[in-house]
Amino acid sequence: MKEKIILFDGVCNLCNKSVQFVIEHDEHNHFKFASLQSNFGQNFLKENKLDQNDFDSIIYIENGKYYTKSSAALKIAKHLDKNISWLNYFIIIPKFIRDFFYNIIAKNRYKFFGKQERCWLPTKELKAKFLE
Protein backbone atom coordinates (compact mmCIF):
# COMPACT_ATOMS: atom_id res chain seq x y z
CA MET A 1 0.00 0.00 0.00
CA LYS A 2 1.75 3.14 -1.24
CA GLU A 3 -0.95 5.60 -0.25
CA LYS A 4 -0.72 7.70 2.87
CA ILE A 5 -3.99 7.11 4.71
CA ILE A 6 -5.36 8.86 7.78
CA LEU A 7 -8.01 7.09 9.85
CA PHE A 8 -9.95 9.30 12.24
CA ASP A 9 -13.01 9.33 14.51
CA GLY A 10 -15.75 10.38 12.09
CA VAL A 11 -18.13 11.79 14.73
CA CYS A 12 -15.55 13.85 16.64
CA ASN A 13 -15.64 17.57 15.86
CA LEU A 14 -11.92 17.99 16.70
CA CYS A 15 -11.02 15.07 14.44
CA ASN A 16 -13.12 16.41 11.56
CA LYS A 17 -11.57 19.88 11.91
CA SER A 18 -8.14 18.24 11.97
CA VAL A 19 -8.88 16.40 8.72
CA GLN A 20 -10.02 19.66 7.13
CA PHE A 21 -6.81 21.32 8.39
CA VAL A 22 -4.68 18.56 6.83
CA ILE A 23 -6.54 18.86 3.50
CA GLU A 24 -5.96 22.61 3.51
CA HIS A 25 -2.20 22.24 4.18
CA ASP A 26 -1.57 19.16 2.01
CA GLU A 27 0.07 21.03 -0.88
CA HIS A 28 1.12 17.87 -2.71
CA ASN A 29 -2.10 15.90 -2.24
CA HIS A 30 -0.40 13.14 -0.21
CA PHE A 31 -3.31 11.88 1.86
CA LYS A 32 -6.44 9.77 1.61
CA PHE A 33 -8.87 9.62 4.54
CA ALA A 34 -11.35 7.23 6.11
CA SER A 35 -13.24 7.30 9.35
CA LEU A 36 -12.50 4.56 11.84
CA GLN A 37 -16.21 3.74 11.69
CA SER A 38 -16.16 3.20 7.89
CA ASN A 39 -15.86 -0.21 6.23
CA PHE A 40 -12.24 0.56 5.40
CA GLY A 41 -11.49 1.68 8.97
CA GLN A 42 -13.22 -1.28 10.57
CA ASN A 43 -11.47 -3.74 8.23
CA PHE A 44 -8.11 -2.14 9.02
CA LEU A 45 -8.73 -2.38 12.78
CA LYS A 46 -9.85 -6.01 12.47
CA GLU A 47 -6.92 -7.04 10.22
CA ASN A 48 -4.44 -5.47 12.64
CA LYS A 49 -6.13 -6.94 15.74
CA LEU A 50 -7.01 -3.49 17.09
CA ASP A 51 -10.16 -2.74 19.08
CA GLN A 52 -12.93 -2.00 16.57
CA ASN A 53 -14.75 0.17 19.11
CA ASP A 54 -11.80 2.29 20.25
CA PHE A 55 -11.73 5.57 18.33
CA ASP A 56 -9.43 7.48 20.73
CA SER A 57 -6.49 7.54 18.33
CA ILE A 58 -5.84 8.85 14.89
CA ILE A 59 -4.10 6.19 12.80
CA TYR A 60 -1.69 7.03 10.01
CA ILE A 61 -0.75 4.37 7.44
CA GLU A 62 2.37 4.81 5.32
CA ASN A 63 4.48 2.25 3.44
CA GLY A 64 2.70 -0.70 5.02
CA LYS A 65 3.28 0.55 8.58
CA TYR A 66 0.82 2.27 10.84
CA TYR A 67 1.33 4.86 13.55
CA THR A 68 -1.03 5.94 16.31
CA LYS A 69 -1.57 8.88 18.64
CA SER A 70 1.17 11.53 18.73
CA SER A 71 3.43 9.58 16.37
CA ALA A 72 0.68 9.58 13.75
CA ALA A 73 0.07 13.32 14.15
CA LEU A 74 3.76 14.18 13.85
CA LYS A 75 4.33 11.88 10.86
CA ILE A 76 1.37 13.55 9.13
CA ALA A 77 2.74 17.02 9.94
CA LYS A 78 5.99 16.11 8.19
CA HIS A 79 4.16 16.02 4.82
CA LEU A 80 2.28 19.30 5.21
CA ASP A 81 3.38 22.72 4.01
CA LYS A 82 6.53 24.29 5.48
CA ASN A 83 4.59 26.32 8.04
CA ILE A 84 3.44 23.06 9.65
CA SER A 85 6.06 20.43 8.75
CA TRP A 86 8.55 21.70 11.33
CA LEU A 87 6.28 20.21 14.02
CA ASN A 88 7.68 16.83 13.05
CA TYR A 89 10.81 17.69 15.07
CA PHE A 90 8.78 17.08 18.24
CA ILE A 91 9.23 13.38 17.41
CA ILE A 92 12.45 13.58 19.48
CA ILE A 93 10.34 13.89 22.64
CA PRO A 94 9.86 10.39 24.08
CA LYS A 95 6.63 8.77 22.94
CA PHE A 96 5.35 8.15 26.47
CA ILE A 97 5.50 11.90 27.18
CA ARG A 98 3.90 12.88 23.86
CA ASP A 99 1.17 10.27 24.26
CA PHE A 100 0.45 11.33 27.84
CA PHE A 101 -0.73 14.72 26.53
CA TYR A 102 -2.36 13.18 23.45
CA ASN A 103 -4.41 10.87 25.69
CA ILE A 104 -5.68 13.74 27.84
CA ILE A 105 -7.05 15.49 24.76
CA ALA A 106 -8.36 12.25 23.20
CA LYS A 107 -10.26 11.21 26.33
CA ASN A 108 -11.90 14.64 26.64
CA ARG A 109 -12.39 15.55 22.96
CA TYR A 110 -16.18 15.15 22.97
CA LYS A 111 -16.50 17.22 26.12
CA PHE A 112 -14.18 19.98 24.84
CA PHE A 113 -15.11 20.02 21.13
CA GLY A 114 -18.41 18.19 20.80
CA LYS A 115 -19.62 15.28 18.77
CA GLN A 116 -21.83 14.74 15.72
CA GLU A 117 -24.59 12.16 15.43
CA ARG A 118 -23.12 10.83 12.18
CA CYS A 119 -19.75 10.79 10.47
CA TRP A 120 -18.83 13.96 8.60
CA LEU A 121 -19.40 13.67 4.85
CA PRO A 122 -16.98 15.35 2.46
CA THR A 123 -18.11 17.66 -0.30
CA LYS A 124 -18.24 16.37 -3.89
CA GLU A 125 -14.89 18.05 -4.56
CA LEU A 126 -13.23 16.22 -1.66
CA LYS A 127 -14.96 12.85 -2.07
CA ALA A 128 -12.04 11.38 -4.08
CA LYS A 129 -9.79 11.81 -1.03
CA PHE A 130 -11.99 9.53 1.10
CA LEU A 131 -12.08 5.75 1.25
CA GLU A 132 -15.25 3.89 2.15
Side-chain angles (χ1 to χ4, degrees), residues 33-94:
F33 304 87
S35 74
L36 289 161
Q37 294 92 337
S38 70
N39 289 334
F40 183 91
Q42 287 293 294
N43 287 336
F44 178 85
L45 294 171
K46 186 177 182 180
E47 288 170 9
N48 288 281
K49 297 176 177 48
L50 299 169
D51 185 346
Q52 291 176 265
N53 298 305
D54 181 7
F55 307 127
D56 282 353
S57 177
I58 190 169
I59 298 176
Y60 173 55
I61 307 164
E62 178 181 33
N63 296 327
K65 290 183 171 182
Y66 71 88
Y67 305 90
T68 61
K69 300 185 180 190
S70 64
S71 296
L74 294 173
K75 295 257 182 205
I76 291 165
K78 180 173 123 178
H79 297 289
L80 299 179
D81 64 44
K82 64 184 175 195
N83 295 324
I84 308 299
S85 63
W86 65 270
L87 291 171
N88 183 58
Y89 292 116
F90 283 105
I91 204 92
I92 65 169
I93 296 171

Side-chain angles (χ1 to χ4, degrees), residues 7-21:
L7 302 178
F8 64 99
D9 179 355
V11 298
C12 167
N13 287 338
L14 173 63
C15 305
N16 288 320
K17 289 291 185 190
S18 297
V19 165
Q20 292 168 18
F21 179 87

